[in-house]
Amino acid sequence: MKHIKLVETIFYVNDQQKSAEFYQNIFRKNPDLNVPGMTEFVIAENCKLGLMPNKSIAKILMDKLPNPELGNGIPRCELYLYVENIELEFENAIKSGAKLISSIQNRDWGDKVCYFSDMDGHVIAFAEKL
C-alpha cells in the first residue's frame, strides 16, 4: 500500500506528561514532538506513537462517541513491537514502571513475547521471531 506514507497510532491518556515520561523511558529516547495536547515518538521508519490527553480527544468526539475517560484500563488493542533483544526490553520495561502482564514465553504463532501495560492500561508487547 504505497499510498500510505506514515502510520501513527495515538493512545488517549489521563496524564500526557506522565505518559510522555513513561514512553521516553520505554523507548529510551526523547519525544520528537511534545506540545500541549500531543506527544509523538517516531518508533520505526514511517511509524509514530502519539499520546493525546483524554480531554483533548473528548472535544473532537463530542457526543458522537463515548468519552475515553469512561473506558480507561479496558484493553482494546496493543502495541506489538518486534525487537532485537527481548530480554533487554523486558528489563527496561520493569525499570520504567510498566505493569507486567505476562513474562517472556514462546507463543504458538512463532514469536517469543512478553506483555506489559502502561498506567492507562494500554497493552505493550515486545516480541522476537522464534
Side-chain angles (χ1 to χ4, degrees):
M1 295 180 43
K2 294 182 184 223
H3 62 281
I4 296 174
K5 304 289 184 203
L6 174 74
V7 175
E8 181 166 6
T9 299
I10 300 173
F11 286 168
Y12 307 140
V13 298
N14 283 323
D15 186 317
Q16 181 184 348
Q17 184 58 38
K18 285 183 182 177
S19 292
E21 291 168 5
F22 173 82
Y23 282 99
Q24 184 172 336
N25 290 330
I26 289 290
F27 298 139
R28 295 184 299 282
K29 66 174 285 205
N30 291 328
D32 297 280
L33 173 73
N34 196 12
V35 297
M38 180 59 77
T39 300
E40 294 178 342
F41 293 89
V42 175
I43 58 176
E45 186 178 344
N46 300 326
C47 184
K48 289 183 185 180
L49 176 68
L51 306 171
M52 179 185 281
N54 286 328
K55 63 181 181 245
S56 295
I57 190 60
K59 290 178 189 175
I60 295 169
L61 300 176
M62 295 189 286
D63 61 347
K64 306 293 185 221
L65 291 170
N67 186 317
E69 290 179 336
L70 301 175
N72 281 346
I74 301 168
R76 303 289 298 172
C77 68
E78 65 188 57
L79 185 61
Y80 198 91
L81 303 168
Y82 282 98
V83 297
E84 291 181 10
N85 184 334
I86 194 169
E87 288 81 11
L88 173 69
E89 301 307 333
F90 180 89
E91 292 301 322
N92 184 61
I94 295 290
K95 289 178 191 171
S96 298
K99 181 181 175 187
L100 179 63
I101 296 172
S102 178
S103 294
I104 300 169
Q105 295 179 25
N106 293 345
R107 309 294 174 160
D108 60 3
W109 57 87
D111 289 351
K112 179 168 47 170
V113 188
C114 57
Y115 289 88
F116 293 89
S117 69
D118 69 9
M119 68 274 302
D120 292 292
H122 299 114
V123 177
I124 308 160
F126 296 103
E128 287 182 357
K129 287 287 184 195
L130 289 173

